[in-house]
Amino acid sequence: MEKPMTGKLCNQQLGCVILLSFVLCLVLLCFDYSALTGSNNGDTSLVNNYVNPISTQSSNSSDPISPLPHNPLVFVFNKTDSDPCLGRYIYVHNLPSRFNEAFLQNCHLLTPGTEKNMCPYLSNLGLGPRIQNHEMVLLNDSWYLTNQFLLEVIFHNKMKNYKCLTNDSSLASAIYVPFYAGLDISRYLFAGASTSLRDSSAIDLLKWVREGEEWKKMWGRDHFFVVGRISWDFRRQTDNESDWGSKFRFLPESNNMTMLSIEASSWNNDFALPYPTCFHPSSEGEIIQWQDKMRRQKRRYLFSFAGGPRPDLQGSIRGKIIDQCLASGSLCKLIDCNYGATNCNNPVNVMKVFQSSVFCLQPQGDSYTRRSIFDAILAGCIPVFFHPGTAYAQYLWHLPKNYTTYSLYLPVRDVKDWKMMINETLLGVPEDRVLALREKVVKLIPRVIYADPKSKLESVEDAFDLAVKGILERTEGVRRIIREGKDPAIGFADGDDFKYTFSAYEEQS
């Protein structure tokens, strides 16, 4: 009787061993999987705001470029198999408030020496006061009295809702530095401030940034910032008190960063973004409605011009344009913005005329560019340019490379060379080309507007989206150069003396 009992006991023990082995393997398998996928150091961490903790260590901006670490995004892709933010993560520096928010809190100090009070324009996340839609000129309620110099505030607020933010800088493809350099320098431009005072915030900002661990990864060449003024305001070449602006862009650390501004310089580390218009839609539907309205719009003026003469600006052709507009009678509509003759800051006045015009003349302003370019496109009005630096050499991420598809180009090197009659030239454009140009302009509307920062466009890319795409492609290009063993400093911040010359564009036309 003992043998059967012994066999039964052995069978039970064998079963227990098998069961225990199975459980042990299952535990080990789970432990191994969690080790592969659950590491705190490797997790992709997304945030809905822009507060990013950083550790600061001293670094020397003159140090050579260090080798890039292994890209952790490869591991993120392997463990998720589908990461929509792969290669698109952006890390936002959590700057001390003196570099951005403090300017908003002290908005009454932003424009000393002028009559402009910037405080009202800072409402609605930098979009400005909402405009009452009189006469149904503007179609919907997504119109604001937006100041043309507040791009850095609007961009920052839109970045807070960017869907691929990360609080792990090692995952980031680009580093955004939300320094309000335009608001900073606006405090001094008309106040007779010393050069040292004009440069002080920029110097402090660069010291703060270069001491962060993020800086040493590419020594700043993955860093970018956005300003709401033209780039020339930050490229003072001497320390003479009479010279304009700050020398921010000539400081060594700044030279390693990319600046996005409403007008770029001739240096390769500057890129231009569209001026903010007054239309900030909250949905794709509002954009489509507006485009349809501009397609159907009846246009009773052959051409129009919004602006004033520049008698003190040597070589300005504005006087000739105004004279020819006035001489063209009902073919042209002039919006005289000189000395407050018309409130050109009111988009109702401007859009009413541009919507009724086939062509909108866009000569240079006080600098190469002007916001009127984008007001015209928004109104479905075909822009007419007289210098390549006004648009063609500027907005490379937002406007077609083949400029003949959306604009007319009447090159005028100097006012003394003026030999054309504008009305005759424009009347000579075939009707089928006019229709094709207008359709292209209408299709460009989403690309040159900044949607409401509180909204998210799902199927349409606005000016912000294209800017982010452009900066990500630029930083990836730098990484590619480093992987190839080349020096990323070569060409990164070089000057291009031919950027604004006429010849290349005259060949295309």
Side-chain angles (χ1 to χ4, degrees):
M1 295 292 295
E2 292 181 358
K3 289 183 180 179
M5 289 294 295
T6 303
K8 184 175 181 181
L9 181 61
C10 290
N11 290 337
Q12 290 176 346
Q13 289 176 342
L14 180 61
C16 291
V17 170
I18 294 173
L19 179 61
L20 287 173
S21 299
F22 176 77
V23 172
L24 180 60
C25 290
L26 183 62
V27 170
L28 289 175
L29 181 61
C30 292
F31 176 78
D32 186 55
Y33 180 79
S34 66
L36 289 173
T37 61
S39 172
N40 290 334
N41 294 329
D43 279 351
T44 302
S45 182
L46 299 182
V47 293
N48 293 323
N49 54 50
Y50 62 100
V51 177
N52 306 300
I54 68 168
S55 61
T56 56
Q57 300 176 359
S58 297
S59 65
N60 189 333
S61 63
S62 62
D63 288 342
I65 299 296
S66 61
L68 284 180
H70 292 296
N71 189 352
L73 293 180
V74 174
F75 300 103
V76 172
F77 181 74
N78 286 340
K79 74 181 184 181
T80 62
D81 291 329
S82 59
D83 183 357
C85 289
L86 182 67
R88 299 169 57 198
Y89 287 111
I90 291 180
Y91 176 88
V92 183
H93 268 309
N94 182 28
L95 299 182
S97 63
R98 69 180 185 275
F99 295 122
N100 43 44
E101 298 296 334
F103 297 134
L104 309 184
Q105 295 164 6
N106 298 284
C107 54
H108 59 286
L109 301 176
L110 292 178
T111 51
T114 72
E115 297 180 356
K116 180 71 72 177
N117 178 10
M118 292 293 288
C119 295
Y121 296 103
L122 296 173
S123 60
N124 294 309
L125 302 178
L127 304 184
R130 194 182 295 271
I131 295 172
Q132 297 298 319
N133 190 11
H134 298 298
E135 306 177 48
M136 294 304 293
V137 172
L138 306 179
L139 188 62
N140 54 47
D141 294 327
S142 292
W143 291 78
Y144 300 81
L145 196 60
T146 304
N147 187 281
Q148 65 176 346
F149 296 123
L150 285 181
L151 176 59
E152 57 211 48
V153 179
I154 297 170
F155 193 98
H156 189 192
N157 283 319
K158 286 183 69 66
M159 182 61 78
K160 294 174 186 179
N161 286 322
Y162 177 62
K163 62 184 178 181
C164 292
L165 291 182
T166 178
N167 62 4
D168 183 351
S169 62
S170 69
L171 300 180
S173 294
I175 309 293
Y176 172 45
V177 183
F179 174 40
Y180 294 170
L183 297 185
D184 171 47
I185 194 60
S186 71
R187 299 179 297 166
Y188 308 120
L189 288 176
F190 303 98
S194 66
T195 55
S196 60
L197 188 58
R198 285 181 256 164
D199 299 336
S200 59
S201 292
I203 293 172
D204 290 345
L205 179 279
L206 294 174
K207 179 179 184 297
W208 190 95
V209 171
R210 75 166 180 261
E211 290 178 348
E213 60 183 18
E214 294 77 21
W215 182 262
K216 290 176 289 187
K217 187 167 64 171
M218 292 176 66
W219 301 107
R221 291 188 178 89
D222 56 350
H223 285 49
F224 73 100
F225 61 100
V226 180
V227 299
R229 299 192 67 90
I230 66 173
S231 60
W232 306 101
D233 290 344
F234 309 96
R235 290 190 176 273
R236 193 191 70 243
Q237 300 195 35
T238 77
D239 285 334
N240 295 332
E241 300 291 334
S242 59
D243 282 359
W244 179 265
S246 79
K247 64 177 181 182
F248 181 24
R249 293 300 280 149
F250 288 126
L251 297 173
E253 296 87 358
S254 178
N255 207 40
N256 283 8
M257 300 163 67
T258 299
M259 181 171 78
L260 312 182
S261 62
I262 54 177
E263 177 179 316
S265 70
S266 57
W267 278 267
N268 293 338
N269 56 348
D270 284 354
F271 288 83
L273 303 186
Y275 283 71
T277 65
C278 293
F279 183 42
H280 305 284
S282 57
S283 69
E284 290 94 333
E286 290 184 351
I287 298 174
I288 294 170
Q289 280 184 323
W290 180 257
Q291 288 176 301
D292 289 343
K293 175 178 170 63
M294 293 306 98
R295 287 188 177 99
R296 299 191 305 268
Q297 192 72 25
K298 293 183 179 179
R299 302 178 185 269
R300 55 180 177 146
Y301 304 116
L302 176 63
F303 64 107
S304 61
F305 173 63
R310 292 292 189 273
D312 298 330
L313 191 62
Q314 186 177 5
S316 175
I317 63 173
R318 286 182 167 220
K320 286 277 190 181
I321 286 175
I322 292 172
D323 290 344
Q324 289 207 13
C325 180
L326 293 174
S328 298
S330 60
L331 290 177
C332 181
K333 178 65 176 179
L334 174 66
I335 307 178
D336 185 2
C337 300
N338 194 38
Y339 305 119
T342 305
N343 183 6
C344 291
N345 291 324
N346 187 337
V348 175
N349 297 334
V350 175
M351 295 306 295
K352 186 184 299 185
V353 173
F354 282 5
Q355 288 177 32
S356 301
S357 304
V358 178
F359 298 98
C360 289
L361 306 186
Q362 302 297 338
Q364 297 179 70
D366 295 319
S367 61
Y368 282 114
T369 64
R370 57 202 307 253
R371 183 166 87 169
S372 179
I373 300 166
F374 303 102
D375 290 334
I377 292 175
L378 184 56
C381 186
I382 302 165
V384 180
F385 297 112
F386 302 85
H387 192 286
T390 305
Y392 305 149
Q394 295 284 349
Y395 307 102
L396 306 181
W397 297 340
H398 295 79
L399 298 179
K401 182 177 181 180
N402 184 358
Y403 61 84
T404 63
T405 63
Y406 74 94
S407 69
L408 288 187
Y409 180 43
L410 307 179
V412 179
R413 294 174 181 266
D414 192 281
V415 68
K416 296 190 292 274
D417 298 332
W418 191 284
K419 297 181 177 65
M420 75 184 87
M421 293 297 296
I422 296 177
N423 53 11
E424 294 178 2
T425 302
L426 299 182
L427 284 170
V429 180
E431 180 64 22
D432 59 344
R433 189 183 179 202
V434 170
L435 295 175
L437 287 168
R438 183 182 303 139
E439 179 59 23
K440 185 65 173 181
V441 168
V442 170
K443 288 181 177 179
L444 287 176
I445 290 175
R447 301 174 65 90
V448 301
I449 58 177
Y450 298 90
D452 190 322
K454 300 187 299 295
S455 68
K456 290 186 179 181
L457 304 180
E458 298 298 334
S459 59
V460 175
E461 292 181 317
D462 71 350
F464 170 84
D465 296 321
L466 294 174
V468 170
K469 180 185 293 186
I471 199 66
L472 291 173
E473 290 176 354
R474 174 168 168 79
T475 55
E476 177 54 31
V478 176
R479 286 188 178 85
R480 190 180 307 115
I481 290 172
I482 296 175
R483 288 196 295 267
E484 294 171 355
K486 300 176 182 178
D487 185 355
I490 297 176
F492 184 88
D494 289 357
D496 182 358
D497 294 336
F498 300 98
K499 188 172 183 178
Y500 300 122
T501 55
F502 283 84
S503 56
Y505 301 93
E506 289 172 343
E507 290 173 5
Q508 185 173 334
S509 61

